[in-house]
Amino acid sequence: MIATIALALSLTVSAAPVDLALPGTGGMKYREDTGDPVRLAAYGLGTKRTYLRSASGSAFAWEKSLTEVSVAPGGRLAAGVPATYRSGYDALVVTDRTTGASTRIRTVKKPLTASYASWSRDGKKVALTVEQKVGGRWRVVGFTVVDVTAKTARTVRINGLSASAGFWWSPDGNLVSRHGTGLRLYRPSDGAVMRTLAGVGLPTGPEDSFSPSGKRLTTWCPSRFKEQLCLVDPIAGKIAQRVDVRPEAVFGWWDESHVIAVMPHRGAYRLSVVDLRGKVTRVLANVPAKTWAAELWVSFTRGS
């Protein structure tokens, strides 16, 4: 009996949530539980500061040479965009987090930039959004796909893109971007249009807008609706549900029935788990107003 009680107490202690300190955020702490379906892997403040979590621990280190970083499904590889060109080229730095070994893969030639790294769900490729300065403003002109195994990069230009378009992987291996008041899917090999989802709203990215199963896709609802967050059926190409919630941002899905959102709270913000009825079911971190204004972003990884 005593042994049983001791074991129960031990399990209770080991399952207790842990507060992770997030350097550079004005004292933010992220509350993590061992049973969480996703893991906070990186965060940053705009392109000025980027922090990457250690492969096996809870410490976050400032990656001074990178403007952004994203961890692959499964957690082994990290893809970062360097702060400076080398020999006139932008690049993607892919690091094996278990060994520390890094590979720098050329992407686009100056004055183009390739950033906003998005991992394919199989962890084999990274998509980057390519931009060029036109009339003093950055404009999206296409995408680059990096094969991390072959260490190669292929850039595709696309005419008629929105100036603020961005590219992310769909679960079936195409690239999705905003198009008008909806979405368009492109073939990564050559940019051919595979499908257009008209009028469904704009993607909530940059974190994966598709649910873990791929059966739902989050968008910002079109202006004809009073709700702000919409759930799209990507097969039917139609809005399946509207959620009466007004987040400042959505950073992907927690699980099949919850999203990760930044919610206003008493003059500041909270990084929260929100269900598909719009109810906050868990607070992951309190976000100071000053930190949010500094363009805080967070990036998660899910087991492969």
Side-chain angles (χ1 to χ4, degrees), residues 44-235:
L45 301 173
T47 59
K48 296 178 181 178
R49 281 181 175 257
T50 294
Y51 294 85
L52 177 63
R53 186 173 185 164
S54 62
S56 58
S58 301
F60 290 85
W62 179 17
E63 301 291 327
K64 297 181 181 180
S65 65
L66 302 178
T67 59
E68 62 167 283
V69 67
S70 178
V71 176
R76 181 173 179 177
L77 300 178
V81 176
T84 58
Y85 293 99
R86 181 182 291 180
S87 301
Y89 282 86
D90 209 348
L92 187 72
V93 178
V94 179
T95 302
D96 186 323
R97 299 169 70 223
T98 59
T99 66
S102 293
T103 302
R104 188 180 180 109
I105 304 169
R106 279 185 174 184
T107 53
V108 295
K109 192 174 183 179
K110 190 177 183 178
L112 298 176
T113 64
S115 52
Y116 307 109
S118 169
W119 283 94
S120 59
R121 289 202 171 184
D122 61 9
K124 295 180 179 180
K125 295 180 180 180
V126 175
L128 300 160
T129 298
V130 177
E131 296 177 283
Q132 182 175 6
K133 223 167 203 180
V134 179
R137 298 184 64 182
W138 288 104
R139 183 177 185 88
V140 175
V141 297
F143 60 80
T144 295
V145 174
V146 177
D147 185 320
V148 298
T149 302
K151 300 179 177 59
T152 58
R154 177 181 176 84
T155 297
V156 177
R157 283 180 174 263
I158 298 176
N159 294 326
L161 289 171
S162 165
S164 55
F167 291 90
W168 299 275
W169 292 100
S170 64
D172 60 359
N174 288 309
L175 293 175
V176 60
S177 182
R178 62 184 293 172
H179 178 75
T181 58
L183 310 174
R184 178 164 277 180
L185 281 81
Y186 299 87
R187 189 163 57 199
S189 60
D190 59 7
V193 175
M194 303 301 290
R195 194 173 176 209
T196 300
L197 308 183
V200 298
L202 304 180
T204 57
E207 289 291 293
D208 192 351
S209 297
F210 289 87
S211 68
S213 70
K215 294 179 179 180
R216 287 289 182 270
L217 164 67
T218 53
T219 66
W220 299 118
C221 288
S223 58
R224 63 182 183 272
F225 300 118
K226 67 179 182 65
E227 295 88 355
Q228 184 171 330
L229 186 65
C230 277
L231 305 179
V232 175
D233 180 337
I235 301 299

Side-chain angles (χ1 to χ4, degrees), residues 1-15:
M1 181 67 174
I2 294 176
T4 301
I5 294 173
L7 177 60
L9 289 173
S10 174
L11 290 173
T12 301
V13 171
S14 65

